[in-house]
Amino acid sequence: IIGTEYERHHFVPRAKSQKKILRATLDKRVTHYSFLPTEGGKFVGDVDLHFDADRLLFSSHRDMNELSEAPGRGKGYAVFELGIDPRTGELIGGPRPVSPDMGRDVDCYDACYLPDGRIIIASTANYEGVPCVGGGSYVANLYRMNNDGSDVRRITYDQDASWHPAVMENGRVLYTRWEYTDSAHYYARVLMSMNPDGTDQKGFYGSNSYWPNSMFFARQVPGNPDMFVATITGHHSNAK
């Protein structure tokens, strides 16, 4: 479970999260599964498969003792990469953290691969919070980095959260933006698109619309650049 609609990862208690990554292949209507188990109730999610299908990104927790000390609070969320056999889906080795250590008060999650080999992640390194709760609810913006966690650069500068980056067929990045400023209602989550380096940010769907309240996990429909699928929620609705 990923919190309520606006809260995201940093409000999910570590001990109450129980997730697995599984592989499913269809062979004569028989489904076979292999699992990446988690220990101690860790969250596992935000899976993004590489274009070559030989590795994937996912979000989970790092050991807090591995992270630099910081005065603030965080949940130790980090982005990991896991190798897989593209023919069988079997795991190759174990997961490795790819998001950099930015301190115990910074969470990183919700990553996607870029065609040039770099990665976009959502991170609370911007140290921003939701105004209506006095800044107590942390929000993430999007950052681009190398596959080894180096050369991290912020590419969205929104007052509130930017989430769920996904590469479209034209090479642009689709993402959700919490549109709070100069909006008739503060619970709008609109779809935006931009170049992979963060330039040319523009509305994709939902600007100035009162419905739906929020769109998450959006992906372009293959072969249809003007169509997408997404999870639709309210502002304070069921957890995702």
Side-chain angles (χ1 to χ4, degrees):
I1 294 177
I2 313 286
T4 60
E5 179 274 329
Y6 76 97
E7 290 173 326
R8 296 304 294 144
H9 297 68
H10 39 279
F11 279 83
V12 179
R14 292 179 60 142
K16 293 183 180 180
S17 302
Q18 200 62 261
K19 296 282 186 176
K20 292 176 169 41
I21 292 178
L22 60 86
R23 169 182 60 90
T25 59
L26 297 179
D27 180 16
K28 296 182 180 178
R29 299 188 179 183
V30 177
T31 304
H32 308 276
Y33 299 92
S34 63
F35 297 92
L36 173 66
T38 59
E39 298 151 0
K42 291 182 180 179
F43 166 84
V44 173
D46 304 328
V47 178
D48 187 70
L49 183 66
H50 190 270
F51 307 102
D52 296 331
D54 60 354
R55 53 195 181 277
L56 57 83
L57 298 170
F58 67 92
S59 305
S60 190
H61 298 286
R62 289 189 67 169
D63 186 335
M64 295 295 278
N65 294 323
E66 298 176 354
L67 301 173
S68 303
E69 293 186 7
R73 59 183 174 86
K75 292 291 179 66
Y77 279 104
V79 176
F80 294 81
E81 186 175 60
L82 182 66
I84 58 176
D85 187 319
R87 295 167 299 179
T88 66
E90 296 298 327
L91 306 182
I92 300 176
R96 70 176 184 92
V98 295
S99 54
D101 172 12
M102 291 189 276
R104 296 177 185 174
D105 57 352
V106 173
D107 291 314
C108 299
Y109 48 84
D110 210 3
C112 80
Y113 288 107
L114 294 176
D116 66 358
R118 285 181 280 197
I119 293 170
I120 291 180
I121 64 172
S123 175
T124 60
N126 46 302
Y127 292 105
E128 295 173 30
V130 180
C132 62
V133 290
S137 297
Y138 296 161
V139 296
N141 268 222
L142 298 179
Y143 294 74
R144 186 184 66 176
M145 67 178 191
N146 293 330
N147 184 267
D148 61 0
S150 63
D151 194 23
V152 179
R153 187 172 79 85
R154 185 175 176 179
I155 58 175
T156 62
Y157 291 82
D158 300 322
Q159 173 181 299
D160 292 284
S162 298
W163 297 296
H164 312 312
V167 177
M168 298 189 293
E169 290 177 349
N170 62 5
R172 290 178 63 82
V173 177
L174 183 69
Y175 65 100
T176 297
R177 173 183 173 182
W178 186 346
E179 189 57 69
Y180 202 118
T181 306
D182 295 328
S183 176
H185 58 302
Y186 58 83
Y187 44 77
R189 310 294 188 279
V190 300
L191 292 183
M192 303 285 290
S193 72
M194 63 180 173
N195 292 325
D197 62 0
T199 59
D200 194 31
Q201 297 181 7
K202 60 181 64 174
F204 184 82
Y205 181 85
S207 296
N208 297 319
S209 174
Y210 279 80
W211 191 92
N213 289 164
S214 308
M215 293 169 284
F216 292 94
F217 311 111
R219 295 290 187 272
Q220 179 202 324
V221 175
N224 295 276
D226 297 327
M227 298 181 67
F228 65 91
V229 294
T231 298
I232 303 298
T233 76
H235 181 58
H236 292 291
S237 62
N238 294 333
K240 295 182 292 297

